[in-house]
Amino acid sequence: MIVPLLLVLLAAQGAGPREELAPLAPLVGSRWVGTFPGGKLTDEQRFEWVFGGRFLRNTHQVKNEAGEVVYEGETIYAWDETDRQIVWWYWNATGGFITGTLKREGDAWIASGVNHAPESQTPAVRSEIRISDGSWESRSFFQRDGEWTERFRMTFRPAPRP
C-alpha cells in the first residue's frame, strides 16, 4: 500500500507548474511566430512544461523564406533554490551555449546570459520580454566591447493552425 500512496503523492506534486515559473504560463500551449526585421526570416517558438512543471522548455527554429530551418536552439528554465532566482541554459545549432538568469523588472522579464562560445560571437546577451494578451515581444541586446546594443525587436503571435 505504501507504493501506490507514494505514486499518488508524487503525481500531485507535479500537477501544475512550479510557482516561480507560473507567470510564464501564457507562453505554453501555442506555436509562436515572429518575423525578423527585413522580413526574410521567421522565428518559431514553442514552450512546454517538463517534469511535471518543474522546468519550462522553449524550442525555436529560425526559418528562411522557403521555410527551411537555418538555425535552431533550445532553452530550459528552472528555479534555483540556492540563489532564489530563475536560471536558464540555452543550446544552439552552432554548438554554442549560454547560461543566465531571468528576473522580473516591472512589466518585463529580463533574461541576461553569458555566452560560452568562440570569441567571434557576442560574450553576453540580454533580452527584455513583455507578455501581453495573445502576443509577446522580445527586444534582444548583444554586448560588444563592453557596450550593449539593441540587435532587433520582434513580436510573436500564435501561428495559424495547419
Side-chain angles (χ1 to χ4, degrees):
M1 284 300 178
I2 286 274
V3 171
L5 178 58
L6 180 58
L7 291 175
V8 168
L9 290 172
L10 288 173
Q13 288 178 351
R18 180 178 186 98
E19 178 183 349
E20 296 84 0
L21 298 175
L24 301 171
L27 300 173
V28 176
S30 291
R31 184 170 53 103
W32 302 95
V33 176
T35 302
F36 281 92
K40 295 183 186 244
L41 298 173
T42 59
D43 190 359
E44 182 177 303
Q45 302 209 18
R46 296 175 191 212
F47 293 82
E48 65 180 323
W49 298 116
V50 291
F51 301 115
R54 287 178 173 78
F55 300 91
L56 179 63
R57 174 186 291 140
N58 167 233
T59 55
H60 85 107
Q61 294 183 322
V62 175
K63 297 179 181 181
N64 64 19
E65 291 176 292
E68 300 165 325
V69 175
V70 296
Y71 177 81
E72 59 189 327
E74 180 171 330
T75 306
I76 299 287
Y77 298 90
W79 177 251
D80 183 329
E81 281 289 344
T82 303
D83 291 335
R84 311 290 303 157
Q85 64 184 345
I86 298 173
V87 295
W88 55 272
W89 302 265
Y90 172 72
W91 301 271
N92 62 54
T94 68
F97 70 98
I98 302 171
T99 57
T101 60
L102 182 67
K103 298 178 181 178
R104 187 73 183 244
E105 290 185 14
D107 68 342
W109 288 94
I110 307 300
S112 301
V114 174
N115 198 350
H116 303 270
E119 288 185 23
S120 61
Q121 296 185 14
T122 184
V125 297
R126 186 176 79 217
S127 293
E128 293 178 11
I129 301 161
R130 286 183 170 76
I131 303 169
S132 359
D133 190 27
S135 68
W136 59 280
E137 181 183 80
S138 175
R139 292 177 60 204
S140 295
F141 301 84
F142 290 0
Q143 187 182 54
R144 290 276 187 203
D145 302 321
E147 298 289 324
W148 286 103
T149 304
E150 183 173 338
R151 294 297 301 229
F152 53 85
R153 182 184 303 214
M154 295 173 62
T155 299
F156 290 84
R157 291 184 173 79
R161 299 222 181 254

